[in-house]
Amino acid sequence: MLQEIGGPVPPNTDHAVSVSLPTWKATVAYEEGEPWIVRKMQCGYPRFFVHPTIQELALEVVQRHGNPETETATLFPSPKTAEICHSFISTKLPAEESRKVRILNFVPSTTHTEAQSSAVTSLLSCVVYPKEYASIAKQVWQHSGNGVSSRRGEFCLSALRDGFLIKKEHAVADETSQKFSKGPRRYRGKDSISGMSRGTGVHATSDHSPEKSGNQDGREYLQFIEERFGRNLSTSLADQAKLAVRRRIAGVLTADLDLNAALEEASGEGRIPGLTESDVFLFPTGMSSIFNCHQMLMAARGGMTSICFGFPYIDTLKILQKWGPGCLFYGHGASEDLDDLESRLVNGERFLALFTEVPGNPLLKTPDLQRIRSLADRYDFAVVIDETVGSFLNINVLPYADIVVSSLTKIFSGDSNVMGGSAVLNPHGQYYQTLKETFLAEYEDNYWAEDAVFLERNSRDFVSRIEKINHTTEEVTAMLKNSTVVKNVYYPKWNPSRPLYEAVRNPDGGYGGLFSITFHSAAAAVAFFDHLEVHKGPSLGTNFTLSCPYTLLAHFSELEWAKSFGIDPNLVRVSVGLEELPELQSRIQAALDAATSV
C-alpha cells in the first residue's frame, strides 16, 4: 500500500484532513523542506498547510486589492478573528512597519447599499501584509485554528470572481479593532446559546454565519451555493446539522434513527444531569475551541498565568505562551508536579486555568483529575480538559472540568474530510454562570455551513465505530506487547496511569483507538514504519488506520526538548481504524518481522 507522496489521505478527497507521507525518509524530507517533496505536496493538515484553494483565494484578493509582488494575505471568517492576527503581527513589528498590515473585509454584493453598511458583517476577512512577515502570520493560522476552511474558501473564491463578493469600503474602525473581550453582546436575551427559538428545534446562528442571517443576504447565500454550484448536500440544513451535532455531543442524540423528529422534540438532559446542547459551542477546529476558551477565560476572570499539565499537543502550549501573560508548564504531568503546584498555590500564586489532556498525546498518560479538581476548588482556578483522544463515549471527564474541549475532526467525524471543534461548559462548574455569560456575549459562530452538514452526517454512526475501534486496538496493543522487538507500548490499558483512567472510564467505555510504540533501535522503528501497510500521515481518529513518526512531525526542531519529557524521537504513533482485526494483525506482524530483521 505505497501511497503517492503528498497526495490526500484519504485519496481522491478534495477536502482531506491528512496527507500521505508514506516513508520515514519522506517525513524527514518534508520537515527539512527538501524541494523534491515540497513540489509533491498537494495538501496537508489544514492548520499546517494552507489548502491550494485558499492559497488561490488569497492571491486573488491581493491581485485585486494589493501588490502581489510584495504582499500576501491570511484569510479568516470574521473581522474579529482577523483582528487577532493583525494585532499579533503588529506587536512583532516596529510602528512604521505595522502600518503596512491591514484588514480587508468582504461582504455580499446583493444590495450594494446594504453591503456597504456598517451593519453588514464580513463573510471573508483578509489580513494583508508584506511577504517577509508570512512566518508571523502563519503562527496565528496554526495555533489559533481560526482560519477559513477549504470549503468556505472554495465558495468565496467563486463568489469573488463572479462579483457576488465585494470589499466593504466603509467598515467602521471600531468594529474590527475591538479586543476579544470587548465584543458585541449579540446574544443577550436569547433562550439559549445562539438564540434557539422556543419549540422550533432550529438553531439560529450568529450574524457571522452565511446560512441563516435572517435577511435577504442570507437567502442569497443559500441560493448561490445550492443553485449556482449544485451542491449534493443541502446547506439549508446547516442549522439543523449544528443542532444535531451539539445534541450529540451533549449526549442527548446519539444516532439518526429519525433525525428530523429528534430535532423537533424538546431537548433532554445529556451525559450528566443538567447538561443540554445550550452548553455546547461549535468552532471551526479543535484548536480554535482551545484558543477561544483561553480567550473567554481571560475575558471572564482577567489576565493571569495558565498551567499546562502533562505533555500536550504542541499548539495548546503555544497558545498559552503566546496569548496572555504566560504559562507554567508541567511536561511530565506527574504527582511531583502537582506537589510543586500545590506549594505555589499555598504560597499565594494565582492562576487562570489548568489545561490538560485525557489521555495525553502521544504517551497516553492520564493525569490525576481528582487531585487537580480538589486544588482548583480550593485555590480558585479553572480546569480545561481536552478529551479528543479519549472521546466522551469512553470517558466522562466533565465532572472534573469547567470546560471540556474536543477536536471533532478526529473520531467524532472519522472520515478525515472536515474540521471541527467543540467546547462544553460544565453546568455544575464553579465558574459556570460567569463563563456562560461570557460565551453568550463573545462567542462567534464561524463554523461554515457545508462543514457542519458534512460533520453531522459523518458523526451519525460514531457510537458503533468507537466500539469496534476500542476492541481492535486492545487486541493489537496486546499483540505488540508480546513482541521482543518492541520496547514500549503506550496505551491507557497498559500504562502505569491506568487507575487514573479507570476513574473516569464509562461503564461501557473502552480505551480508545490511539497508541504509540517505541523500539530498541532507530533502525527497527524505521523498518517497522516503512513496512506497515496502512495510510501514513498526520491526524488521528480516522475510519482507516493511520500512522506517523509522531515526534518527527510534531517536534522536529525540538527533539531534545521533547526527549527531556520522555518522548522518544523515534516514536511511532498508530490510530486504529475500522479494518477487520485479522487483516490489521497480519499487516502489523509483517512490519514487526521487518523490524526484527534489522
Side-chain angles (χ1 to χ4, degrees), residues 266-477:
S267 174
E269 291 188 338
R271 40 184 159 140
I272 69 170
L275 177 65
T276 72
E277 71 270 9
S278 71
D279 299 314
V280 181
F281 298 77
L282 300 183
F283 294 90
T285 66
M287 200 50 60
S288 175
S289 68
I290 295 173
F291 179 89
N292 283 286
C293 284
H294 181 231
Q295 295 285 307
M296 296 287 186
L297 281 162
M298 288 194 295
R301 304 196 63 232
M304 290 183 283
T305 300
S306 292
I307 305 158
C308 185
F309 190 80
F311 196 85
Y313 185 69
I314 189 61
D315 290 304
T316 299
L317 180 59
K318 299 300 184 185
I319 286 170
L320 302 181
Q321 291 174 334
K322 295 181 180 183
W323 282 272
C327 173
L328 177 62
F329 179 42
Y330 291 114
H332 294 285
S335 59
E336 293 81 5
D337 293 326
L338 288 177
D339 291 341
D340 181 79
L341 174 60
E342 184 168 11
S343 176
R344 290 170 179 267
L345 293 166
V346 168
N347 289 327
E349 291 190 44
R350 295 192 66 219
F351 297 95
L352 175 71
L354 181 148
F355 289 72
T356 191
E357 298 175 0
V358 182
N361 181 9
L363 298 184
L364 288 302
K365 291 171 62 176
T366 302
D368 188 344
L369 294 183
Q370 184 172 354
R371 187 176 176 191
I372 288 171
R373 183 70 261 168
S374 175
L375 291 174
D377 291 339
R378 202 181 324 157
Y379 295 103
D380 190 27
F381 60 85
V383 177
V384 181
I385 300 176
D386 185 343
E387 67 173 9
T388 299
V389 174
S391 166
F392 68 82
L393 287 182
N394 287 326
I395 58 176
N396 182 16
V397 297
L398 194 56
Y400 300 92
D402 295 282
I403 308 176
V404 171
V405 295
S406 187
S407 172
L408 306 180
T409 309
K410 310 304 192 298
I411 190 66
F412 188 81
S413 168
D415 278 345
S416 190
N417 63 3
V418 65
M419 300 283 280
S422 65
V424 181
L425 302 185
N426 180 358
H428 307 291
Q430 61 177 329
Y431 306 112
Y432 177 70
Q433 291 301 327
T434 301
L435 285 174
K436 191 66 173 285
E437 290 176 5
T438 303
F439 269 79
L440 293 178
E442 310 291 355
Y443 170 75
E444 282 189 326
D445 181 0
N446 287 321
Y447 201 38
W448 182 243
E450 287 182 283
D451 292 328
V453 173
F454 272 88
L455 180 66
E456 190 281 315
R457 294 195 177 189
N458 290 354
S459 63
R460 290 180 184 181
D461 64 346
F462 83 116
V463 174
S464 60
R465 286 190 283 110
I466 289 177
E467 289 174 349
K468 180 172 183 177
I469 287 171
N470 283 340
H471 172 71
T472 301
T473 312
E474 283 192 54
E475 296 294 325
V476 164
T477 53

Side-chain angles (χ1 to χ4, degrees), residues 140-162:
V140 184
W141 177 274
Q142 175 184 330
H143 300 324
S144 76
N146 283 335
V148 297
S149 74
S150 54
R151 288 186 180 87
R152 183 191 286 259
E154 184 178 66
F155 170 80
C156 289
L157 179 60
S158 295
L160 183 64
R161 286 176 172 171
D162 287 353

